[in-house]
mmCIF file of all heavy atoms in Angstrom:
data_model
loop_
_atom_site.group_PDB
_atom_site.id
_atom_site.type_symbol
_atom_site.label_atom_id
_atom_site.label_comp_id
_atom_site.label_asym_id
_atom_site.label_seq_id
_atom_site.Cartn_x
_atom_site.Cartn_y
_atom_site.Cartn_z
ATOM 1 N N TYR A 1 -93.029 104.575 1.392
ATOM 2 C CA TYR A 1 -93.741 104.316 0.139
ATOM 3 C C TYR A 1 -93.735 105.541 -0.764
ATOM 4 O O TYR A 1 -93.615 105.415 -1.983
ATOM 5 C CB TYR A 1 -95.176 103.896 0.453
ATOM 6 C CG TYR A 1 -95.961 103.446 -0.750
ATOM 7 C CD1 TYR A 1 -95.894 102.127 -1.192
ATOM 8 C CD2 TYR A 1 -96.777 104.334 -1.458
ATOM 9 C CE1 TYR A 1 -96.606 101.711 -2.305
ATOM 10 C CE2 TYR A 1 -97.490 103.927 -2.561
ATOM 11 C CZ TYR A 1 -97.407 102.616 -2.979
ATOM 12 O OH TYR A 1 -98.117 102.207 -4.087
ATOM 13 N N LEU A 2 -93.868 106.739 -0.182
ATOM 14 C CA LEU A 2 -93.926 107.981 -0.955
ATOM 15 C C LEU A 2 -92.623 108.769 -0.859
ATOM 16 O O LEU A 2 -92.625 109.991 -1.003
ATOM 17 C CB LEU A 2 -95.098 108.845 -0.476
ATOM 18 C CG LEU A 2 -96.491 108.244 -0.664
ATOM 19 C CD1 LEU A 2 -97.549 109.114 -0.009
ATOM 20 C CD2 LEU A 2 -96.808 108.063 -2.146
ATOM 21 N N GLN A 3 -91.533 108.075 -0.599
ATOM 22 C CA GLN A 3 -90.246 108.751 -0.466
ATOM 23 C C GLN A 3 -89.913 109.529 -1.748
ATOM 24 O O GLN A 3 -89.989 109.009 -2.855
ATOM 25 C CB GLN A 3 -89.146 107.737 -0.183
ATOM 26 C CG GLN A 3 -87.778 108.365 0.053
ATOM 27 C CD GLN A 3 -86.724 107.317 0.391
ATOM 28 O OE1 GLN A 3 -87.031 106.133 0.485
ATOM 29 N NE2 GLN A 3 -85.497 107.740 0.576
ATOM 30 N N GLY A 4 -89.560 110.798 -1.563
ATOM 31 C CA GLY A 4 -89.231 111.645 -2.695
ATOM 32 C C GLY A 4 -90.407 112.343 -3.334
ATOM 33 O O GLY A 4 -90.225 113.182 -4.225
ATOM 34 N N ASP A 5 -91.624 112.031 -2.905
ATOM 35 C CA ASP A 5 -92.804 112.694 -3.457
ATOM 36 C C ASP A 5 -92.856 114.130 -2.934
ATOM 37 O O ASP A 5 -92.850 114.349 -1.716
ATOM 38 C CB ASP A 5 -94.083 111.947 -3.054
ATOM 39 C CG ASP A 5 -95.284 112.384 -3.882
ATOM 40 O OD1 ASP A 5 -95.482 113.599 -4.031
ATOM 41 O OD2 ASP A 5 -96.020 111.506 -4.368
ATOM 42 N N PRO A 6 -92.923 115.137 -3.811
ATOM 43 C CA PRO A 6 -92.935 116.532 -3.338
ATOM 44 C C PRO A 6 -94.204 116.911 -2.591
ATOM 45 O O PRO A 6 -94.243 117.949 -1.923
ATOM 46 C CB PRO A 6 -92.800 117.340 -4.639
ATOM 47 C CG PRO A 6 -93.302 116.431 -5.711
ATOM 48 C CD PRO A 6 -92.938 115.050 -5.282
ATOM 49 N N LEU A 7 -95.237 116.088 -2.705
ATOM 50 C CA LEU A 7 -96.512 116.382 -2.043
ATOM 51 C C LEU A 7 -96.706 115.540 -0.785
ATOM 52 O O LEU A 7 -97.837 115.343 -0.335
ATOM 53 C CB LEU A 7 -97.672 116.142 -3.018
ATOM 54 C CG LEU A 7 -97.673 116.993 -4.290
ATOM 55 C CD1 LEU A 7 -98.864 116.643 -5.166
ATOM 56 C CD2 LEU A 7 -97.676 118.464 -3.947
ATOM 57 N N LEU A 8 -95.622 115.050 -0.207
ATOM 58 C CA LEU A 8 -95.731 114.215 0.983
ATOM 59 C C LEU A 8 -96.377 114.984 2.140
ATOM 60 O O LEU A 8 -97.168 114.430 2.902
ATOM 61 C CB LEU A 8 -94.347 113.701 1.398
ATOM 62 C CG LEU A 8 -94.312 112.741 2.585
ATOM 63 C CD1 LEU A 8 -95.132 111.492 2.302
ATOM 64 C CD2 LEU A 8 -92.872 112.359 2.932
ATOM 65 N N GLY A 9 -96.044 116.264 2.284
ATOM 66 C CA GLY A 9 -96.650 117.070 3.339
ATOM 67 C C GLY A 9 -98.152 117.168 3.187
ATOM 68 O O GLY A 9 -98.909 117.089 4.159
ATOM 69 N N ARG A 10 -98.594 117.339 1.941
ATOM 70 C CA ARG A 10 -100.039 117.384 1.684
ATOM 71 C C ARG A 10 -100.690 116.043 2.003
ATOM 72 O O ARG A 10 -101.810 115.988 2.532
ATOM 73 C CB ARG A 10 -100.292 117.759 0.223
ATOM 74 C CG ARG A 10 -101.755 117.909 -0.135
ATOM 75 C CD ARG A 10 -101.948 118.122 -1.622
ATOM 76 N NE ARG A 10 -101.293 119.343 -2.073
ATOM 77 C CZ ARG A 10 -101.329 119.754 -3.346
ATOM 78 N NH1 ARG A 10 -101.939 119.025 -4.266
ATOM 79 N NH2 ARG A 10 -100.717 120.876 -3.683
ATOM 80 N N PHE A 11 -99.995 114.954 1.686
ATOM 81 C CA PHE A 11 -100.533 113.627 1.981
ATOM 82 C C PHE A 11 -100.755 113.461 3.483
ATOM 83 O O PHE A 11 -101.803 112.946 3.914
ATOM 84 C CB PHE A 11 -99.568 112.553 1.465
ATOM 85 C CG PHE A 11 -100.014 111.147 1.761
ATOM 86 C CD1 PHE A 11 -100.923 110.510 0.933
ATOM 87 C CD2 PHE A 11 -99.534 110.464 2.873
ATOM 88 C CE1 PHE A 11 -101.344 109.222 1.202
ATOM 89 C CE2 PHE A 11 -99.943 109.177 3.147
ATOM 90 C CZ PHE A 11 -100.849 108.552 2.314
ATOM 91 N N TYR A 12 -99.795 113.884 4.294
ATOM 92 C CA TYR A 12 -99.950 113.772 5.736
ATOM 93 C C TYR A 12 -101.083 114.666 6.242
ATOM 94 O O TYR A 12 -101.759 114.331 7.219
ATOM 95 C CB TYR A 12 -98.643 114.125 6.443
ATOM 96 C CG TYR A 12 -97.667 112.969 6.479
ATOM 97 C CD1 TYR A 12 -96.407 113.067 5.878
ATOM 98 C CD2 TYR A 12 -98.003 111.789 7.108
ATOM 99 C CE1 TYR A 12 -95.516 112.005 5.910
ATOM 100 C CE2 TYR A 12 -97.111 110.720 7.140
ATOM 101 C CZ TYR A 12 -95.876 110.831 6.541
ATOM 102 O OH TYR A 12 -95.000 109.777 6.572
ATOM 103 N N LEU A 13 -101.286 115.792 5.586
ATOM 104 C CA LEU A 13 -102.429 116.646 5.946
ATOM 105 C C LEU A 13 -103.729 115.869 5.766
ATOM 106 O O LEU A 13 -104.567 115.817 6.679
ATOM 107 C CB LEU A 13 -102.424 117.906 5.081
ATOM 108 C CG LEU A 13 -103.445 119.011 5.403
ATOM 109 C CD1 LEU A 13 -102.962 120.339 4.824
ATOM 110 C CD2 LEU A 13 -104.833 118.734 4.846
ATOM 111 N N TYR A 14 -103.916 115.291 4.578
ATOM 112 C CA TYR A 14 -105.148 114.553 4.292
ATOM 113 C C TYR A 14 -105.300 113.356 5.229
ATOM 114 O O TYR A 14 -106.394 113.094 5.753
ATOM 115 C CB TYR A 14 -105.153 114.061 2.842
ATOM 116 C CG TYR A 14 -105.070 115.136 1.796
ATOM 117 C CD1 TYR A 14 -104.590 114.852 0.514
ATOM 118 C CD2 TYR A 14 -105.456 116.447 2.062
ATOM 119 C CE1 TYR A 14 -104.514 115.830 -0.468
ATOM 120 C CE2 TYR A 14 -105.378 117.435 1.086
ATOM 121 C CZ TYR A 14 -104.900 117.114 -0.172
ATOM 122 O OH TYR A 14 -104.818 118.081 -1.142
ATOM 123 N N LEU A 15 -104.206 112.611 5.426
ATOM 124 C CA LEU A 15 -104.273 111.394 6.224
ATOM 125 C C LEU A 15 -104.596 111.707 7.686
ATOM 126 O O LEU A 15 -105.422 111.027 8.314
ATOM 127 C CB LEU A 15 -102.948 110.634 6.125
ATOM 128 C CG LEU A 15 -102.955 109.196 6.653
ATOM 129 C CD1 LEU A 15 -103.844 108.325 5.794
ATOM 130 C CD2 LEU A 15 -101.539 108.618 6.685
ATOM 131 N N THR A 16 -103.963 112.724 8.244
ATOM 132 C CA THR A 16 -104.221 113.103 9.630
ATOM 133 C C THR A 16 -105.631 113.641 9.799
ATOM 134 O O THR A 16 -106.296 113.364 10.809
ATOM 135 C CB THR A 16 -103.198 114.152 10.095
ATOM 136 O OG1 THR A 16 -101.877 113.671 9.830
ATOM 137 C CG2 THR A 16 -103.336 114.442 11.572
ATOM 138 N N LEU A 17 -106.094 114.392 8.812
ATOM 139 C CA LEU A 17 -107.462 114.906 8.867
ATOM 140 C C LEU A 17 -108.462 113.758 8.836
ATOM 141 O O LEU A 17 -109.464 113.768 9.570
ATOM 142 C CB LEU A 17 -107.704 115.849 7.687
ATOM 143 C CG LEU A 17 -108.941 116.743 7.770
ATOM 144 C CD1 LEU A 17 -108.849 117.695 8.944
ATOM 145 C CD2 LEU A 17 -109.118 117.517 6.470
ATOM 146 N N PHE A 18 -108.181 112.756 8.018
ATOM 147 C CA PHE A 18 -109.070 111.590 7.975
ATOM 148 C C PHE A 18 -109.052 110.838 9.303
ATOM 149 O O PHE A 18 -110.098 110.429 9.807
ATOM 150 C CB PHE A 18 -108.651 110.649 6.845
ATOM 151 C CG PHE A 18 -109.393 109.348 6.856
ATOM 152 C CD1 PHE A 18 -110.658 109.262 6.306
ATOM 153 C CD2 PHE A 18 -108.846 108.217 7.450
ATOM 154 C CE1 PHE A 18 -111.367 108.070 6.340
ATOM 155 C CE2 PHE A 18 -109.540 107.032 7.488
ATOM 156 C CZ PHE A 18 -110.805 106.955 6.930
ATOM 157 N N MET A 19 -107.886 110.625 9.865
ATOM 158 C CA MET A 19 -107.787 109.925 11.148
ATOM 159 C C MET A 19 -108.578 110.664 12.227
ATOM 160 O O MET A 19 -109.294 110.048 13.025
ATOM 161 C CB MET A 19 -106.323 109.798 11.565
ATOM 162 C CG MET A 19 -106.124 109.035 12.872
ATOM 163 S SD MET A 19 -104.419 109.083 13.466
ATOM 164 C CE MET A 19 -104.315 110.784 14.009
ATOM 165 N N THR A 20 -108.469 111.981 12.233
ATOM 166 C CA THR A 20 -109.195 112.785 13.211
ATOM 167 C C THR A 20 -110.696 112.647 13.015
ATOM 168 O O THR A 20 -111.457 112.536 13.989
ATOM 169 C CB THR A 20 -108.775 114.258 13.088
ATOM 170 O OG1 THR A 20 -107.352 114.356 13.231
ATOM 171 C CG2 THR A 20 -109.450 115.106 14.142
ATOM 172 N N ALA A 21 -111.133 112.664 11.762
ATOM 173 C CA ALA A 21 -112.564 112.515 11.480
ATOM 174 C C ALA A 21 -113.073 111.152 11.938
ATOM 175 O O ALA A 21 -114.181 111.044 12.487
ATOM 176 C CB ALA A 21 -112.820 112.707 9.991
ATOM 177 N N MET A 22 -112.285 110.098 11.733
ATOM 178 C CA MET A 22 -112.699 108.768 12.186
ATOM 179 C C MET A 22 -112.798 108.704 13.702
ATOM 180 O O MET A 22 -113.720 108.090 14.255
ATOM 181 C CB MET A 22 -111.714 107.715 11.677
ATOM 182 C CG MET A 22 -111.951 107.250 10.253
ATOM 183 S SD MET A 22 -113.585 106.540 9.940
ATOM 184 C CE MET A 22 -113.681 105.274 11.191
ATOM 185 N N LEU A 23 -111.862 109.325 14.390
ATOM 186 C CA LEU A 23 -111.947 109.383 15.849
ATOM 187 C C LEU A 23 -113.217 110.111 16.278
ATOM 188 O O LEU A 23 -113.872 109.720 17.263
ATOM 189 C CB LEU A 23 -110.715 110.088 16.422
ATOM 190 C CG LEU A 23 -109.393 109.330 16.361
ATOM 191 C CD1 LEU A 23 -108.249 110.214 16.851
ATOM 192 C CD2 LEU A 23 -109.462 108.058 17.198
ATOM 193 N N GLY A 24 -113.563 111.168 15.537
ATOM 194 C CA GLY A 24 -114.793 111.888 15.854
ATOM 195 C C GLY A 24 -116.027 111.029 15.660
ATOM 196 O O GLY A 24 -116.968 111.081 16.475
ATOM 197 N N ILE A 25 -116.068 110.222 14.602
ATOM 198 C CA ILE A 25 -117.233 109.367 14.346
ATOM 199 C C ILE A 25 -117.457 108.383 15.484
ATOM 200 O O ILE A 25 -118.570 108.241 16.007
ATOM 201 C CB ILE A 25 -117.056 108.609 13.014
ATOM 202 C CG1 ILE A 25 -117.263 109.549 11.835
ATOM 203 C CG2 ILE A 25 -118.036 107.438 12.920
ATOM 204 C CD1 ILE A 25 -117.068 108.898 10.484
ATOM 205 N N VAL A 26 -116.409 107.689 15.892
ATOM 206 C CA VAL A 26 -116.583 106.598 16.850
ATOM 207 C C VAL A 26 -116.700 107.082 18.288
ATOM 208 O O VAL A 26 -117.010 106.289 19.178
ATOM 209 C CB VAL A 26 -115.439 105.573 16.723
ATOM 210 C CG1 VAL A 26 -115.410 104.982 15.321
ATOM 211 C CG2 VAL A 26 -114.095 106.193 17.064
ATOM 212 N N THR A 27 -116.436 108.369 18.532
ATOM 213 C CA THR A 27 -116.590 108.895 19.894
ATOM 214 C C THR A 27 -117.731 109.900 20.008
ATOM 215 O O THR A 27 -118.068 110.312 21.118
ATOM 216 C CB THR A 27 -115.297 109.575 20.378
ATOM 217 O OG1 THR A 27 -114.932 110.630 19.462
ATOM 218 C CG2 THR A 27 -114.155 108.575 20.467
ATOM 219 N N ALA A 28 -118.344 110.306 18.885
ATOM 220 C CA ALA A 28 -119.409 111.310 18.930
ATOM 221 C C ALA A 28 -120.650 110.723 19.590
ATOM 222 O O ALA A 28 -121.055 109.588 19.307
ATOM 223 C CB ALA A 28 -119.729 111.801 17.524
ATOM 224 N N ASP A 29 -121.274 111.516 20.445
ATOM 225 C CA ASP A 29 -122.547 111.135 21.060
ATOM 226 C C ASP A 29 -123.692 111.930 20.455
ATOM 227 O O ASP A 29 -124.803 111.429 20.322
ATOM 228 C CB ASP A 29 -122.485 111.366 22.575
ATOM 229 C CG ASP A 29 -123.625 110.684 23.313
ATOM 230 O OD1 ASP A 29 -124.141 109.675 22.793
ATOM 231 O OD2 ASP A 29 -124.005 111.147 24.397
ATOM 232 N N ASN A 30 -123.445 113.155 20.076
ATOM 233 C CA ASN A 30 -124.456 114.005 19.458
ATOM 234 C C ASN A 30 -124.575 113.674 17.974
ATOM 235 O O ASN A 30 -123.568 113.519 17.281
ATOM 236 C CB ASN A 30 -124.076 115.479 19.645
ATOM 237 C CG ASN A 30 -125.153 116.423 19.184
ATOM 238 O OD1 ASN A 30 -125.336 116.622 17.996
ATOM 239 N ND2 ASN A 30 -125.870 117.005 20.131
ATOM 240 N N ILE A 31 -125.805 113.564 17.449
ATOM 241 C CA ILE A 31 -125.993 113.142 16.058
ATOM 242 C C ILE A 31 -125.495 114.200 15.080
ATOM 243 O O ILE A 31 -125.030 113.869 13.988
ATOM 244 C CB ILE A 31 -127.462 112.797 15.773
ATOM 245 C CG1 ILE A 31 -128.371 114.008 16.019
ATOM 246 C CG2 ILE A 31 -127.912 111.616 16.612
ATOM 247 C CD1 ILE A 31 -129.799 113.776 15.577
ATOM 248 N N PHE A 32 -125.573 115.477 15.447
ATOM 249 C CA PHE A 32 -125.061 116.524 14.571
ATOM 250 C C PHE A 32 -123.536 116.469 14.511
ATOM 251 O O PHE A 32 -122.931 116.678 13.459
ATOM 252 C CB PHE A 32 -125.518 117.901 15.060
ATOM 253 C CG PHE A 32 -127.013 118.051 15.115
ATOM 254 C CD1 PHE A 32 -127.692 117.984 16.319
ATOM 255 C CD2 PHE A 32 -127.743 118.246 13.959
ATOM 256 C CE1 PHE A 32 -129.062 118.117 16.373
ATOM 257 C CE2 PHE A 32 -129.119 118.378 13.996
ATOM 258 C CZ PHE A 32 -129.789 118.316 15.214
ATOM 259 N N CYS A 33 -122.948 116.196 15.652
ATOM 260 C CA CYS A 33 -121.498 116.045 15.720
ATOM 261 C C CYS A 33 -121.056 114.838 14.885
ATOM 262 O O CYS A 33 -120.073 114.897 14.147
ATOM 263 C CB CYS A 33 -121.082 115.891 17.184
ATOM 264 S SG CYS A 33 -119.309 115.933 17.474
ATOM 265 N N LEU A 34 -121.813 113.743 14.981
ATOM 266 C CA LEU A 34 -121.503 112.549 14.187
ATOM 267 C C LEU A 34 -121.547 112.866 12.695
ATOM 268 O O LEU A 34 -120.649 112.479 11.938
ATOM 269 C CB LEU A 34 -122.495 111.437 14.515
ATOM 270 C CG LEU A 34 -122.407 110.211 13.598
ATOM 271 C CD1 LEU A 34 -121.265 109.314 14.031
ATOM 272 C CD2 LEU A 34 -123.701 109.439 13.558
ATOM 273 N N PHE A 35 -122.593 113.567 12.272
ATOM 274 C CA PHE A 35 -122.739 113.882 10.850
ATOM 275 C C PHE A 35 -121.578 114.750 10.358
ATOM 276 O O PHE A 35 -121.084 114.565 9.239
ATOM 277 C CB PHE A 35 -124.068 114.594 10.608
ATOM 278 C CG PHE A 35 -124.243 115.070 9.197
ATOM 279 C CD1 PHE A 35 -124.461 114.174 8.161
ATOM 280 C CD2 PHE A 35 -124.183 116.417 8.893
ATOM 281 C CE1 PHE A 35 -124.608 114.609 6.853
ATOM 282 C CE2 PHE A 35 -124.334 116.864 7.597
ATOM 283 C CZ PHE A 35 -124.551 115.957 6.573
ATOM 284 N N LEU A 36 -121.147 115.691 11.180
ATOM 285 C CA LEU A 36 -120.018 116.545 10.812
ATOM 286 C C LEU A 36 -118.784 115.706 10.514
ATOM 287 O O LEU A 36 -118.144 115.869 9.464
ATOM 288 C CB LEU A 36 -119.735 117.530 11.947
ATOM 289 C CG LEU A 36 -118.481 118.391 11.802
ATOM 290 C CD1 LEU A 36 -118.637 119.369 10.652
ATOM 291 C CD2 LEU A 36 -118.193 119.138 13.097
ATOM 292 N N PHE A 37 -118.456 114.771 11.404
ATOM 293 C CA PHE A 37 -117.274 113.932 11.194
ATOM 294 C C PHE A 37 -117.502 112.902 10.085
ATOM 295 O O PHE A 37 -116.565 112.541 9.363
ATOM 296 C CB PHE A 37 -116.898 113.229 12.500
ATOM 297 C CG PHE A 37 -116.387 114.164 13.559
ATOM 298 C CD1 PHE A 37 -117.072 114.331 14.758
ATOM 299 C CD2 PHE A 37 -115.240 114.904 13.364
ATOM 300 C CE1 PHE A 37 -116.611 115.193 15.734
ATOM 301 C CE2 PHE A 37 -114.771 115.771 14.329
ATOM 302 C CZ PHE A 37 -115.455 115.918 15.516
ATOM 303 N N TRP A 38 -118.735 112.428 9.952
ATOM 304 C CA TRP A 38 -119.075 111.451 8.913
ATOM 305 C C TRP A 38 -118.776 112.030 7.527
ATOM 306 O O TRP A 38 -118.150 111.385 6.684
ATOM 307 C CB TRP A 38 -120.544 111.071 9.033
ATOM 308 C CG TRP A 38 -120.999 109.941 8.161
ATOM 309 C CD1 TRP A 38 -121.366 110.007 6.858
ATOM 310 C CD2 TRP A 38 -121.135 108.557 8.540
ATOM 311 N NE1 TRP A 38 -121.739 108.764 6.390
ATOM 312 C CE2 TRP A 38 -121.608 107.867 7.404
ATOM 313 C CE3 TRP A 38 -120.926 107.862 9.721
ATOM 314 C CZ2 TRP A 38 -121.868 106.501 7.421
ATOM 315 C CZ3 TRP A 38 -121.185 106.489 9.731
ATOM 316 C CH2 TRP A 38 -121.641 105.824 8.603
ATOM 317 N N GLU A 39 -119.232 113.246 7.291
ATOM 318 C CA GLU A 39 -118.991 113.873 5.997
ATOM 319 C C GLU A 39 -117.531 114.285 5.829
ATOM 320 O O GLU A 39 -117.017 114.316 4.711
ATOM 321 C CB GLU A 39 -119.903 115.085 5.828
ATOM 322 C CG GLU A 39 -121.376 114.732 5.694
ATOM 323 C CD GLU A 39 -121.666 113.856 4.483
ATOM 324 O OE1 GLU A 39 -121.547 112.615 4.589
ATOM 325 O OE2 GLU A 39 -121.998 114.409 3.422
ATOM 326 N N LEU A 40 -116.869 114.593 6.934
ATOM 327 C CA LEU A 40 -115.445 114.936 6.856
ATOM 328 C C LEU A 40 -114.625 113.734 6.392
ATOM 329 O O LEU A 40 -113.642 113.890 5.657
ATOM 330 C CB LEU A 40 -114.944 115.437 8.210
ATOM 331 C CG LEU A 40 -113.487 115.923 8.247
ATOM 332 C CD1 LEU A 40 -113.253 117.035 7.236
ATOM 333 C CD2 LEU A 40 -113.126 116.402 9.654
ATOM 334 N N THR A 41 -115.031 112.524 6.787
ATOM 335 C CA THR A 41 -114.328 111.333 6.283
ATOM 336 C C THR A 41 -114.533 111.184 4.783
ATOM 337 O O THR A 41 -113.611 110.782 4.058
ATOM 338 C CB THR A 41 -114.810 110.056 6.992
ATOM 339 O OG1 THR A 41 -116.223 109.889 6.782
ATOM 340 C CG2 THR A 41 -114.516 110.091 8.470
#
């Protein structure tokens, strides 16, 4: 979809960071840990 976009690397940075934050939300047990990932999303 973004073939040829010069900022594709940046897009993958944002997308991977979001995916990681979502994994943190659904696996966090500590409420402070949850909030950290919640705001990161």
